[in-house]
Amino acid sequence: MIDRTAIATLIERLEQASEGSQELDEAIAISQGWTFLQMKHDAKPYWRKPGETTWSMREIGGPPSFTRSLDAALTLVPSACQVYELDYYYIGQGQWEASARLRMSDC
């Protein structure tokens, strides 16, 4: 079940962020069903994709960089949705900003 309050809080944090961060990526991952826990035979906690219950199936590098990679962000878009506008532009000092618009009626 989706915790609408938690999602609303996450959206607010994302809107207020001036740049992407690992902390935001991890919050998005948790909202999408990722887990960060130490299972039997683990030396430490590891990130696991949604539905992974086998201790050996772990993501050493952590969850995707949803707020720092356009490719990772687009994995959050349901496959039935149509991206109809994708913009990116240079904001200076080696930094780029991107935005995508979805046709929500297709989702």
Side-chain angles (χ1 to χ4, degrees), residues 10 17 19 23-24 29 35 37 40-42 46 55-56 93 98:
L10 177 56
E19 62 185 17
E23 182 182 347
L24 288 171
T35 58
L37 51 90
K40 186 177 180 179
H41 305 293
D42 282 345
Y46 287 99
W55 77 271
S56 61
Q93 299 180 343

Side-chain angles (χ1 to χ4, degrees), residues 66-67 69-71 73-74 77 82-91 96-102:
F66 298 116
T67 62
S69 162
L70 185 56
D71 290 333
L74 289 174
V77 178
Q82 180 182 2
V83 176
Y84 73 92
E85 185 178 311
L86 184 60
D87 292 322
Y88 61 94
Y89 50 93
Y90 186 70
I91 58 174
W96 291 81
E97 190 167 293
S99 66
R101 292 182 188 264
L102 307 176

Side-chain angles (χ1 to χ4, degrees), residues 6-106:
I7 295 295
T9 301
L10 177 56
I11 290 170
E12 186 176 312
R13 286 178 58 199
L14 290 166
E15 288 174 341
Q16 292 176 355
S18 60
E19 62 185 17
S21 71
Q22 182 175 347
E23 182 182 347
L24 288 171
D25 295 336
E26 291 172 356
I28 292 168
I30 288 170
S31 77
Q32 296 297 303
W34 285 66
T35 58
F36 184 71
L37 51 90
Q38 184 172 352
M39 296 177 80
K40 186 177 180 179
H41 305 293
D42 282 345
K44 62 181 184 176
Y46 287 99
W47 283 98
R48 289 182 170 80
K49 294 178 181 178
E52 285 294 348
T53 58
T54 307
W55 77 271
S56 61
M57 299 301 292
R58 51 191 177 216
E59 298 298 314
I60 304 298
S65 300
F66 298 116
T67 62
R68 297 170 288 161
S69 162
L70 185 56
D71 290 333
L74 289 174
T75 67
L76 298 170
V77 178
S79 59
C81 291
Q82 180 182 2
V83 176
Y84 73 92
E85 185 178 311
L86 184 60
D87 292 322
Y88 61 94
Y89 50 93
Y90 186 70
I91 58 174
Q93 299 180 343
Q95 304 252 343
W96 291 81
E97 190 167 293
S99 66
R101 292 182 188 264
L102 307 176
R103 192 173 317 278
M104 297 306 287
S105 61
D106 295 339

